[in-house]
Amino acid sequence: MKPVDHLAAVRRDSQRIDSAAQGRLDDVVPSCPGWRVADLVWHVGIVQLFWQMVARGDLSGPEAWTEPDRPADDQLLAWFRSGADMAIATLTGLDPERPAWTWGRRHNVGFIRRRVAQETAVHSWDAVTAVSAVEPIEQSTAADGVDEFLDEVLPALSPDLAGPAQTVGLCASDACAEWTIRVGDGAAELTRARGNADATVTATASDLLLMLWGRRPAADLMVDGERAALQRFLARTSF
């Protein structure tokens, strides 16, 4: 995805969260145990605020972060809408190559744009699913999210890259995209093509991304090869 696509995704999926939350702030969010919709709105708003401050250079990292007071529920959606607009305006006005702290491989505003888009996309799915019928994550956003997860999130955040290596393939049936990820021996190595794998999962890009983030059971998807190998891989992605 191009940077402009990330910003369009942030706007679209922030609006989806806002619409889903109208009159439903007390609803339970099944995909986020212990959360109400209000908690989800607060979380996404805080994530967007944190990353826009990092992008501007107001924060050098999480150690300098102080969380603001949470608005009352009757003010929460207005706060969320204002914050989303400000995040989009901030990230639109900054060069994607501008240096910034991140926990990923890339340390620039481009990483932040992508991370904010992906965080908002997955939680928009959580919000919509909590209050109405399940809807997929938008195809190009989902495919980009799979790529981000394998290329940035897993290598940076997984505590379990040691141990014997295994290889898993992912095939997005609706997006003409494939990934082969080898995890183990202290590293995660990504190839954006089909390769030899212990297990290969074929599904829509949305279902692949939801599987990686623990929201779609692998048992519901088409798996070729060793399901046990896939389960070992998914255990490594549980942060």
Side-chain angles (χ1 to χ4, degrees):
M1 294 175 73
K2 299 176 182 178
V4 67
D5 296 324
H6 290 134
L7 298 176
V10 173
R11 177 175 286 105
R12 179 195 65 229
D13 291 326
S14 295
Q15 290 172 347
R16 291 182 78 206
I17 292 172
D18 182 25
S19 296
Q22 295 287 340
R24 307 293 291 267
L25 289 174
D26 282 330
D27 284 24
V28 171
V29 183
S31 52
C32 301
W35 278 12
R36 299 181 301 136
V37 171
D39 300 316
L40 184 149
V41 171
W42 168 245
H43 171 78
V44 177
I46 283 295
V47 168
Q48 293 181 351
L49 175 61
F50 170 81
W51 281 117
Q52 69 173 287
M53 292 179 69
V54 172
R56 287 198 307 263
D58 296 341
L59 286 178
S60 57
E63 69 285 345
W65 163 253
T66 300
E67 189 171 287
D69 293 336
R70 176 169 170 167
D73 280 4
D74 62 354
Q75 300 173 337
L76 186 61
L77 287 177
W79 170 85
F80 175 76
R81 286 190 292 270
S82 175
D85 288 345
M86 186 178 298
I88 293 164
T90 297
L91 296 176
T92 299
L94 295 174
D95 185 338
E97 297 302 322
R98 176 187 170 101
W101 175 89
T102 74
W103 44 254
R105 177 176 52 80
R106 295 181 299 135
H107 302 284
N108 58 26
V109 170
F111 173 98
I112 293 172
R113 286 179 168 183
R114 189 188 206 188
R115 179 84 292 273
V116 171
Q118 290 302 327
E119 183 86 13
T120 307
V122 172
H123 284 311
S124 74
W125 182 91
D126 292 326
V128 171
T129 302
V131 305
S132 63
V134 175
E135 296 179 6
I137 296 171
E138 191 274 332
Q139 181 191 86
S140 62
T141 303
D144 179 69
V146 173
D147 196 85
E148 186 217 32
F149 188 98
L150 299 178
D151 191 38
E152 297 276 8
V153 177
L154 180 63
L157 300 184
S158 177
D160 187 18
L161 296 180
Q166 64 182 130
T167 303
V168 169
L170 302 177
C171 177
S173 57
D174 60 339
C176 297
E178 295 180 329
W179 302 265
T180 302
I181 182 79
R182 182 181 183 274
V183 181
D185 297 333
E189 301 172 6
L190 174 63
T191 302
R192 293 177 178 86
R194 184 181 291 271
N196 294 327
D198 298 310
T200 299
V201 186
T202 301
T204 65
S206 177
D207 281 347
L208 290 176
L209 182 60
L210 293 170
M211 178 192 72
L212 291 173
W213 283 112
R215 288 159 167 82
R216 189 80 161 88
D220 294 347
L221 307 180
M222 187 172 78
V223 179
D224 295 318
E226 303 175 33
R227 283 189 175 269
L230 175 61
Q231 292 302 329
R232 288 195 300 273
F233 169 77
L234 293 176
R236 281 172 151 160
T237 71
S238 299
F239 309 126

